[in-house]
């Protein structure tokens, strides 16, 4: 699989996802510097987490105006797959590639912890079709602005179109704090209309070996990559 | 220096004043004493102008010169086979095998954090990270040691909230995981909070960068953020006591920009991977002054800087302001001649300022031009060598009072005391704090925030077919109430507890960075606390072969004459060869718990200075638990041997709150239960029996509880070891800790108390 990882000034999970991609696919992804515009054709582009441009103005707002975004849009129009993680999700929204907005966590605090994700019934998507719905994913989050917010109309549309990828769910019955950021409908990740762009707040690249506390991230990434190459 | 009419017109009014002769009054305003002023005039053979005096006052400040503590710091053990660089550089460096070096340091940002918690803490993190990557190391972990005032004070909540956000704000953004630390509350910190940040980095052992200037004629380069008026004279502020008007000093607090910090980190490491950098120094306390002076001084050379070339972000800054600004995210470098263009292209790529601002000279003088005039011309040597070193009078007060257990007035039953312990914010869970830190970025965090006694981060790239790789274990520790009662003993205890924590995580303790936080050293008893703890730390560090390789001293932590509890924080680093073998503190079901370092006949625990004593009797006027270094060393050795034989499943050091507290903490995660074995003589006690209480809650040192699923083999091994131990019982799924017929403690309810204390204190305070 040919993959690329975008790097903006302030990206800080680029190395982590590069390591994960390399371990899983055996190939080192290309680094896509935000100012560059010439890239080979790729199967997958990952927009990693971090604080692109220091999160100044709004998370992802400045990165969404970088030259590399044009390449990402072209890649999408060719049917290419894109995975935006955390800040990458914020950038996809700011670039108008995914709908809605990500506002500050309900408690107004940065939150870093494990979350349990439920896989939703979705349209066909390379990121989800390899996963069994009944298997929940334990993947950590670490963010300050992960509270997915949208109008009722949009929320219904996302739901009816099968574009909600993951929801935070309770691990145990009495857990009242299972949604780490207060996002609408417990949404943790959404898909584009064609199902080939996924934005998610949790960090799968931080759950790829047992010492991380689990390998659900590895499972998710491995299955996704299998589907992307088809 | 040629002065043309053109330049004469260009000098601004303020610069003209900065270049005028200073007076004794100016010196006193800058925190210098009369004697120091005359010493300066004498050494430089002229009356300094205001810029020159400002440079002297910064270099002579307690913060930069360590004038009160230097005499004693020199007595600390700093050498061992594995030490590559001890104190005196930006950070300490130790050899951890495989051509790798661990680079680490702890530093305080106490005074600024009290005045402006968010920015104070954020720049504390930024500053310590720069210290580490200046040495050529990529930072891999952050820790912190925090001390706040009484939880009932509104101001405390403001401090906790701001400091935690500030630490997270910087660390999360720059993308270095914050993996551990400690937080305590005590009313002595009401007027002076402590914010000590520690950073650990990794470097190739043969690619360490130092600060000594080399080669006259080589270019001096300024990189990073622009210089503004923030933080002017910050080092001087950090060297005085506070009064009620200290909030007026807010403008001297620096402002951090983690985004620029990230760019500076990446660009510097990128440049350092070439051969262009000859020496490098970050601009921390006293900014351009201390960086230029230290580089020149260490290389026994001089330096010429044209301050008109320094990138500034405010108009008409004077030489005085430029030299004393503590704007963050700046570096000073000396490059190999001819490599300027290559270097500049890297900084251009990262959109950072890059300017050649001067050159290394043979003069041995610091010469500065501004607006076409010579703003400063002083010899370098006196700035460093002649900085005063005081032998301040001291008195080490060691409390020798022991508490007679049978004379204690017992109010509570065992279960009630335990509940009070878990409701004590010094013991309770710090989840509210650490969930605000990104602890898993970089993908190498193995253990953080109390999963094991020390935090463990995997060393990137050391994995092979047999193992996931090597790891670095880290912890910060100090029990200030012990140090207050007996500085020597308290100093030893902090080192031993740190070493036990490293060992209990399965790693070998290697070296120390320390942060000595005290009140006003001009007071005899405070100086006694400083000297006493240095003696204690030195003794223990030398016995355990964990030398001190870096550190920081923060004095004058007083407000209106009231000092903080003496707080010599120990940051310790160790190595674990295979990270998959790290030990958690959480026990699993059907494991046997046993306490190492405590015999079956041991019944009377040490409650002097304990949390228990604070809860039951509100007295702290007693000697802290004694420290036996031989026992400490032995327990660490035995624990690591047991672990090497793969016999242990968990380990947890006994500290605050004693044995029973420690057992509960080990049972929390999996809601386990245990039928606790008691020494025979305690079997018939009731729940208010003072001896039983002392056994449950005494804070005797040199004890670690371990868990095993191979008790027979452990028994066999320990029988030959000549180390006392006592089997506590086997864990079960019952969620109940039973003390025979005396009492039953519900583990999940205790955990609930443990978890909810801090969120309740912080309440809606964000």
């Amino acid at each position: 699989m040919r993959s690329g990882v975008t790097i903006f000034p302030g990206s800080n999970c680029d190395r982590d996802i590069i390591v994960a991609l390399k371990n899983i696919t055996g190939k080192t992804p290309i680094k896509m510097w935000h100012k560059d515009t010439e890239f080979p054709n790729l199967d997958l582009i990952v927009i990693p987490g971090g604080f692109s441009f220091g999160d100044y103005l709004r998370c992802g707002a400045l990165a969404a105006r970088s030259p590399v975004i044009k390449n990402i849009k072209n890649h999408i129009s060719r049917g290419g797959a894109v995975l935006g993680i955390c800040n990458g999700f914020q950038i996809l929204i700011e670039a108008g590639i995914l709908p809605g907005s990500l506002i500050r966590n309900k408690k107004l605090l940065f939150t870093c912890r494990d979350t349990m994700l439920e896989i939703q019934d979705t349209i066909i998507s390379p990121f989800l079709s390899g996963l069994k719905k009944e298997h929940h994913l334990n993947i950590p989050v670490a963010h300050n602005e992960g509270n997915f917010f949208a109008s009722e109309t949009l929320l219904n549309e996302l739901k009816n179109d099968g574009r909600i990828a993951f929801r935070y769910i309770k691990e145990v019955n009495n857990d009242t704090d299972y949604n780490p950021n207060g996002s609408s409908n417990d949404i943790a990740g959404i898909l584009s209309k064609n199902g080939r762009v996924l934005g998610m707040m949790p960090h799968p690249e931080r759950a790829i070996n047992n010492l991380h506390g689990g390998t659900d991230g590895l499972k998710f990434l491995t299955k996704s990559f299998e589907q992307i190459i088809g | 220096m040629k002065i043309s009419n053109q330049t004469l017109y260009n000098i601004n009014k303020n610069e003209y004043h900065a270049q005028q002769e200073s007076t004794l009054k100016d010196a006193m305003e800058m925190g210098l004493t009369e004697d120091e002023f005359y010493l300066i005039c004498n050494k430089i053979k002229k009356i300094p102008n205001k810029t020159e005096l400002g440079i002297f006052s910064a270099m002579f400040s307690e913060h930069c010169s360590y004038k009160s503590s230097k005499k004693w710091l020199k007595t600390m053990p700093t050498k061992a086979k594995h030490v590559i660089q001890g104190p005196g550089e930006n950070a300490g460096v130790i050899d951890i095998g495989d051509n790798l070096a661990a680079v680490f340091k702890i530093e305080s940002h106490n005074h600024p954090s009290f005045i402006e918690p968010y920015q104070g803490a954020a720049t504390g993190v930024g500053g310590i990270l720069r210290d580490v990557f200046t040495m050529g190391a990529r930072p891999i972990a952050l820790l912190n040691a925090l001390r706040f005032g009484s939880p009932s004070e509104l101001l405390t909540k403001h401090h906790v909230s701001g400091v935690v956000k500030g630490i997270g704000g910087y660390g999360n953004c720059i993308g270095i995981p914050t993996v551990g630390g400690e937080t305590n509350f005590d009313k002595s910190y009401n007027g002076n909070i402590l914010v000590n940040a520690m950073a650990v980095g990794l470097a190739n052992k043969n690619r360490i960068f130092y600060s000594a200037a080399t080669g006259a004629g080589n270019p001096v380069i300024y990189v990073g953020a622009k210089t503004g008026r923030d933080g002017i004279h910050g080092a001087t502020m950090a060297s005085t006591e506070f009064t009620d008007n200290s909030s007026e000093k807010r403008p001297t607090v620096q402002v951090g920009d983690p985004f620029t910090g990230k760019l500076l980190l990446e660009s510097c490491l990128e440049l350092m991977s070439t051969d262009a950098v000859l020496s490098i120094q970050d601009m921390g306390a006293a900014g351009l002054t201390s960086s230029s002076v230290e580089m020149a001084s260490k290389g026994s050379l001089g330096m010429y800087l044209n301050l008109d070339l320094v990138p500034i972000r405010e108009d008409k800054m004077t030489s005085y302001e430029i030299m004393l600004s503590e704007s963050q995210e700046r570096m000073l470098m000396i490059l190999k001649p001819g490599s300027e263009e290559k270097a500049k292209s890297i900084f251009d790529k990262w959109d950072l300022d890059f300017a050649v601002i001067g050159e290394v000279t043979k003069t041995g003088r610091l010469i500065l031009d501004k607006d076409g005039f010579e703003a400063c011309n002083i010899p370098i040597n006196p700035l460093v060598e002649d900085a005063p070193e005081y032998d301040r009078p001291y008195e080490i007060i060691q409390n020798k009072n022991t508490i007679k257990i049978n004379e204690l007035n017992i109010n509570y039953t065992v279960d009630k005391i335990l509940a009070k312990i878990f409701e004590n914010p010094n013991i309770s869970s710090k989840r509210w704090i650490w969930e605000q830190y990104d602890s898993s970025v970089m993908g190498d965090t193995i253990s953080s925030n109390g999963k094991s006694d020390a935090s463990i981060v995997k060393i990137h790239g050391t994995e092979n077919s047999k193992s996931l790789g090597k790891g670095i274990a880290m912890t910060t520790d100090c029990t200030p109430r012990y140090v207050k009662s007996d500085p020597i003993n308290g100093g030893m205890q902090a080192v031993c507890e740190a070493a036990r924590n490293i060992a209990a995580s399965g790693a070998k303790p290697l070296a120390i960075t320390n942060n000595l936080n005290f009140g006003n050293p001009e007071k005899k008893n405070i100086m006694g606390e400083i000297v006493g703890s240095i003696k204690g730390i030195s003794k223990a560090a030398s016995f355990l072969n964990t030398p001190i390789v870096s550190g920081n001293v923060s004095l004058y932590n007083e407000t209106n004459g009231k000092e903080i509890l003496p707080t010599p924080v120990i940051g310790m680093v160790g190595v674990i060869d295979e990270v998959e073998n790290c030990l958690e503190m959480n026990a699993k079901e059907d494991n046997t718990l046993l306490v190492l370092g405590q015999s079956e006949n041991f019944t009377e625990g040490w409650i002097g200075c304990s949390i228990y004593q604070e809860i039951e009797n509100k007295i702290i006027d007693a000697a802290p638990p004694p420290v036996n270094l031989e026992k400490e060393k032995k327990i660490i050795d035995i624990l690591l041997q047991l672990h090497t034989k793969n016999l242990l499943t968990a380990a947890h050091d006994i500290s605050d709150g004693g044995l029973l507290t420690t057992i509960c903490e080990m049972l929390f995660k999996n809601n386990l239960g245990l039928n606790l074995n008691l020494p025979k003589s305690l079997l018939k006690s009731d729940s208010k029996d003072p001896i039983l209480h002392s056994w449950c809650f005494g804070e005797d040192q040199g004890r670690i509880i371990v868990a095993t699923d191979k008790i027979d083999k452990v028994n066999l091994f320990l029988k030959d070891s000549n180390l006392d131990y006592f089997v506590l019982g086997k864990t079960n799924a019952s969620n109940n800790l039973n003390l025979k017929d005396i009492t039953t403690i519900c583990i999940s309810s205790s955990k609930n108390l443990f978890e909810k204390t801090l969120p309740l204190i912080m309440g809606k305070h964000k």
Side-chain angles (χ1 to χ4, degrees):
Chain A
M1 190 183 67
R2 296 158 303 169
S3 61
V5 174
T6 60
I7 301 177
F8 300 93
S11 295
N12 65 26
C13 303
D14 42 328
R15 188 189 77 172
D16 311 357
I17 191 71
I18 287 171
V19 168
L21 280 161
K22 194 182 162 199
N23 285 349
I24 298 166
T25 67
K27 276 192 196 159
T28 307
I30 62 160
K31 293 180 181 175
M32 305 171 71
W33 182 243
H34 70 116
K35 286 179 188 168
D36 292 344
T37 50
E38 296 293 318
F39 301 103
N41 279 350
L42 299 166
D43 300 308
L44 169 71
I45 295 176
V46 182
I47 312 178
F51 288 67
S52 57
F53 296 94
D55 275 357
Y56 294 143
L57 189 57
R58 268 191 326 273
C59 304
L62 296 170
R65 272 94 190 148
S66 284
V68 75
I69 295 297
K70 206 177 153 198
N71 293 71
I72 295 176
K73 286 184 171 166
N74 289 339
H75 167 84
I76 293 170
S77 63
R78 284 196 301 268
V82 175
L83 171 61
I85 302 167
C86 199
N87 189 229
F89 186 11
Q90 294 163 343
I91 293 169
L92 285 170
I93 286 183
E94 283 290 342
I97 296 169
L98 290 175
S101 53
L102 288 161
I103 61 173
R104 285 192 70 186
N105 297 348
K106 198 175 166 193
K107 288 185 180 168
L108 304 179
L109 298 175
F110 186 98
T111 302
C112 174
R113 62 172 157 105
D114 281 347
T115 59
M116 197 57 86
L117 304 178
E118 184 186 56
I119 299 156
Q120 306 296 302
D121 274 325
T122 63
I123 45 168
I124 295 171
S125 165
F127 295 106
L128 291 137
S129 46
L131 296 168
K132 291 204 174 73
K133 236 202 98 188
E134 58 276 21
H135 290 166
H136 299 153
L137 301 174
N138 179 8
I139 299 182
V141 295
H143 59 248
N144 198 36
E145 286 90 0
N147 182 349
F148 185 81
F149 187 82
S151 66
E152 276 306 310
T153 325
L154 177 60
L155 287 172
N156 283 330
E157 197 183 307
L158 289 173
K159 187 167 177 249
N160 296 335
D161 294 352
R163 290 172 59 194
I164 299 174
F166 304 114
R167 281 199 168 110
Y168 304 108
I169 55 153
K170 293 179 188 186
E171 238 177 304
V172 282
N173 274 335
N174 59 1
D175 184 3
T176 52
D177 213 19
Y178 64 95
N179 176 338
N181 49 39
S183 63
S184 309
N185 295 0
D186 300 328
I187 288 173
I190 59 167
L191 292 164
S192 61
K193 278 186 180 158
N194 71 357
R196 298 191 67 83
V197 180
L198 169 64
M200 63 191 288
M201 288 315 294
H203 286 272
E205 78 282 11
R206 299 189 192 180
I208 59 169
N209 70 52
N210 276 321
L211 292 171
H212 281 153
T215 54
D216 286 356
L218 180 75
K219 187 163 86 180
F220 161 72
L221 292 171
T222 309
K223 296 284 176 196
S224 299
F225 301 160
E226 279 170 10
Q227 297 293 323
I228 289 168
I229 331 171
Chain B
M1 173 105 272
K2 270 188 261 168
I3 300 173
S4 66
N5 283 343
Q6 190 61 41
T7 50
L8 196 55
Y9 296 139
N10 281 346
I11 195 165
N12 84 58
K13 188 179 71 188
N14 294 335
E15 180 57 37
Y16 176 79
H17 286 297
Q19 295 185 14
Q20 298 309 300
E21 224 167 59
S22 62
T23 60
L24 176 60
K25 188 167 161 269
D26 295 330
M28 311 272 274
E29 276 171 9
M30 291 183 200
L32 290 162
T33 66
E34 194 173 344
D35 286 348
E36 287 167 351
F37 179 67
Y38 294 129
L39 173 84
I40 292 163
C41 298
N42 190 12
K43 289 289 173 186
I44 68 171
K45 301 197 170 51
K46 65 175 179 181
I47 297 171
N49 68 28
K50 282 172 193 150
T51 297
E52 291 166 336
L53 186 69
I55 289 170
F56 265 101
S57 88
M59 291 308 294
F60 277 20
S61 70
E62 190 67 55
H63 196 86
C64 291
S65 74
Y66 296 98
K67 58 190 168 191
S68 299
S69 56
K70 198 156 49 177
K71 174 184 157 74
W72 297 99
L73 294 176
K74 287 181 195 160
T75 65
M76 298 186 115
T78 57
K79 292 193 169 70
K81 241 187 181 166
H82 56 280
V83 174
I84 295 175
Q85 174 65 52
E89 273 291 335
N90 284 298
V93 184
I94 59 168
D95 189 338
I96 52 168
D98 299 334
N99 253 338
L100 292 165
V103 178
F104 60 99
K105 191 184 180 189
I106 191 166
E107 196 162 77
S108 64
H109 231 216
N110 304 335
H111 293 79
S113 300
F114 181 82
I115 295 172
E116 177 59 58
Y118 183 94
Q119 292 299 345
T123 51
V125 172
I128 196 63
L129 284 171
R130 276 196 309 283
D131 278 334
V132 164
F133 72 78
T134 302
M135 306 285 298
R138 178 171 284 279
I140 59 163
L142 285 163
L143 292 94
N144 51 69
L146 311 177
R147 297 292 185 282
F148 298 107
S150 165
S152 56
E153 297 283 322
L154 194 61
L155 197 56
T156 297
K157 295 172 196 177
H158 162 72
H159 284 142
V160 175
S161 163
V163 165
V164 171
K165 274 195 183 138
I167 290 174
Y170 207 103
N172 300 348
C173 179
I174 199 168
I176 314 293
T178 301
V179 296
E182 47 162 9
T183 304
N184 281 169
F185 301 86
D186 184 90
K187 63 177 189 309
S188 78
Y189 304 107
N190 280 355
N192 286 80
I193 63 170
L194 302 183
V195 175
N196 296 176
M198 171 170 165
V200 182
L202 271 181
N204 178 323
K205 173 178 135 173
N206 306 311
R207 296 282 296 161
I208 307 289
F209 288 80
Y210 297 97
S211 57
T214 47
N218 286 343
V220 177
I221 315 291
Y222 171 114
V223 299
K226 291 184 188 346
T227 297
R229 288 193 171 89
D230 48 329
I232 289 178
H233 260 310
T236 312
M237 172 191 75
S239 307
T240 46
E241 285 182 35
F242 276 164
T243 62
D244 289 334
N245 302 324
S246 291
S247 59
E248 286 169 10
K249 291 188 177 164
R250 200 162 282 140
T252 52
V253 174
Q254 313 84 333
V255 178
D257 176 3
F259 172 58
T260 306
K262 170 72 174 167
L263 304 185
L264 190 64
L265 162 71
E266 296 302 336
S267 53
C268 285
L269 290 180
E270 195 172 325
L271 180 61
M272 286 156 128
S273 69
T274 72
D275 61 353
V277 181
L278 294 176
S279 48
I280 175 166
Q281 169 77 38
D282 91 292
M283 293 189 223
L288 194 49
T289 290
S290 73
S291 52
S292 57
V293 169
E294 279 172 28
M295 289 180 96
S297 154
K298 281 181 186 157
S300 304
L301 288 161
M303 201 174 276
Y304 163 77
L305 303 177
N306 181 350
L307 298 184
D308 293 326
L309 301 175
V310 171
I312 53 172
R313 62 160 189 260
E314 291 174 65
D315 266 355
K316 296 189 176 162
M317 284 185 69
T318 65
S319 54
Y320 178 90
E321 290 168 325
I322 291 173
M323 289 309 285
L324 292 164
S325 158
E326 290 192 7
S327 290
Q328 299 290 295
E329 289 85 31
R330 302 177 301 159
M331 288 276 187
L332 202 61
M333 293 182 186
I334 293 164
L335 293 187
K336 212 160 102 179
S339 56
E340 294 93 326
E341 278 311 305
K342 183 168 63 179
K344 186 170 183 297
S345 70
I346 292 174
F347 289 92
D348 283 350
K349 172 184 156 193
W350 291 98
D351 296 322
L352 289 176
D353 271 300
F354 174 97
V356 181
I357 61 166
E359 63 176 46
V360 180
T361 63
K362 284 184 193 157
T363 59
R365 300 181 76 83
L366 180 68
I367 298 174
L368 307 172
D369 278 353
K370 180 78 178 73
D371 294 353
F373 289 90
E374 192 173 83
C376 162
N377 186 340
I378 48 176
I380 302 260
N381 251 349
L383 283 165
V384 183
E385 312 266 302
D386 293 324
E389 178 181 328
Y390 295 125
D391 183 4
R392 298 198 187 275
Y394 66 93
E395 183 187 7
I396 303 175
I397 303 165
Q398 294 179 280
N399 193 321
K400 302 283 185 195
N401 292 344
T402 49
I403 305 266
K404 293 185 186 69
I405 293 170
N406 286 316
E407 291 172 9
L408 279 187
N409 186 18
I410 303 286
N411 300 307
Y412 305 113
T413 53
V414 167
D415 52 320
K416 186 70 192 164
I417 292 164
L418 201 57
K420 284 183 170 288
I421 286 177
F422 290 128
E423 281 174 343
N424 184 319
N426 288 329
I427 306 279
S428 72
S429 166
K430 305 299 186 294
R431 180 185 299 274
W432 188 90
I433 293 175
W434 53 251
E435 274 195 351
Q436 296 186 51
Y437 304 146
D438 191 335
S439 53
S440 52
V441 63
M442 290 182 93
D444 290 326
T445 304
I446 303 297
S447 170
S448 59
N449 303 314
K451 187 171 150 196
S452 49
D453 280 5
S455 304
I456 294 181
V457 171
K458 189 177 70 135
I459 299 175
H460 205 79
T462 54
E463 49 279 75
N464 56 42
S465 55
K466 285 184 210 143
S467 160
L468 282 168
K470 262 189 175 181
I472 299 221
M474 300 149 281
T475 181
T476 57
D477 287 289
C478 178
T479 314
R481 62 180 190 279
Y482 293 174
V483 188
K484 178 79 192 168
S485 285
D486 182 339
I488 298 179
N489 190 78
M492 287 202 288
Q493 191 275 340
V495 172
C496 293
E497 185 176 342
R500 284 199 303 268
N501 281 331
I502 297 282
S505 72
K508 184 177 187 290
L510 285 180
I512 290 172
T513 178
N514 62 9
N515 207 138
L516 307 174
N517 307 278
F518 295 93
N520 182 347
E522 293 158 42
K523 296 179 186 166
K524 232 172 152 178
N525 62 320
I526 305 287
M527 198 59 214
E529 292 174 353
I530 301 171
V531 176
S533 18
I534 289 180
K535 282 176 188 273
I537 291 169
S538 300
K539 200 172 165 192
S542 150
F543 198 87
L544 300 175
N545 195 27
T546 51
I548 289 100
V549 296
S550 59
N552 170 246
V553 181
S554 170
L555 304 178
Y556 297 96
N557 290 292
E558 301 203 357
T559 296
N560 296 332
K562 268 193 246 160
E563 74 273 4
I564 58 160
L565 282 177
T567 315
V569 174
I570 299 296
M572 194 179 279
V573 167
V575 160
I576 179 164
D577 286 330
E578 293 168 330
V579 281
E580 54 272 36
N581 292 337
C582 75
L583 273 172
E584 281 190 29
M585 61 159 274
N586 305 306
K588 283 120 205 127
E589 202 182 322
D590 275 333
N591 281 185
T592 305
L593 296 190
L594 51 151
V595 50
L596 303 179
Q598 170 171 336
S599 78
E600 193 170 352
N601 304 323
F602 170 92
T603 50
E604 214 175 299
W606 189 282
I607 52 154
C609 256
S610 65
I611 295 275
Y612 168 81
Q613 193 193 359
E614 203 178 295
I615 288 170
E616 266 286 8
N617 300 84
K618 314 260 180 238
I619 340 160
I620 43 162
D621 178 26
V627 175
N628 176 340
L629 291 175
E630 274 171 32
K631 183 183 174 193
E632 297 281 356
K633 188 168 190 317
K634 185 158 192 183
I635 198 167
I636 288 168
D637 289 344
I638 301 270
L639 182 133
L640 290 176
Q641 284 174 38
L642 282 168
H643 185 45
T644 312
K645 291 179 187 299
N646 212 6
L647 296 177
L648 303 181
T649 55
H652 192 20
D653 148 66
I654 300 182
S655 56
D656 283 346
L659 180 78
L660 210 58
T661 309
T662 310
I663 296 174
C664 288
E665 287 169 355
M666 294 180 81
L667 302 177
F668 277 166
K669 168 128 191 260
N670 301 315
N671 287 330
L672 299 176
L674 182 85
N675 293 315
L676 184 61
N677 282 335
L678 292 174
K680 282 191 195 89
S681 62
L682 293 179
L683 289 172
K684 298 222 159 57
S685 347
D686 65 42
S687 198
K688 282 191 167 186
D689 183 299
I691 307 273
L692 176 70
H693 282 198
S694 76
W695 186 81
C696 289
F697 305 113
E699 294 180 5
D700 300 76
Q701 296 297 298
R703 295 183 299 164
I704 298 175
I705 301 182
V706 294
T708 178
D709 53 1
K710 302 182 183 87
I711 184 64
D712 294 342
K713 286 185 179 167
V714 170
N715 267 322
L716 206 66
F717 180 85
L718 288 176
K719 288 225 161 70
D720 295 332
S721 73
N722 205 17
L723 177 77
D724 288 334
Y725 72 102
F726 178 65
V727 175
L728 297 166
K730 200 168 189 182
T731 55
N732 56 48
S734 74
N735 187 29
N736 283 324
L737 173 61
N738 294 314
L739 276 71
K740 303 297 174 191
D741 302 326
I742 305 167
T743 189
T744 292
I745 289 134
C746 173
I747 290 300
S748 54
S749 320
S750 301
K751 182 164 78 178
N752 197 22
L753 288 179
F754 177 74
E755 288 292 348
K756 80 176 187 195
T757 302
L758 198 52
L760 274 178
I761 289 173
M762 294 310 294
K764 287 201 167 57
H765 199 92
K766 297 292 190 291

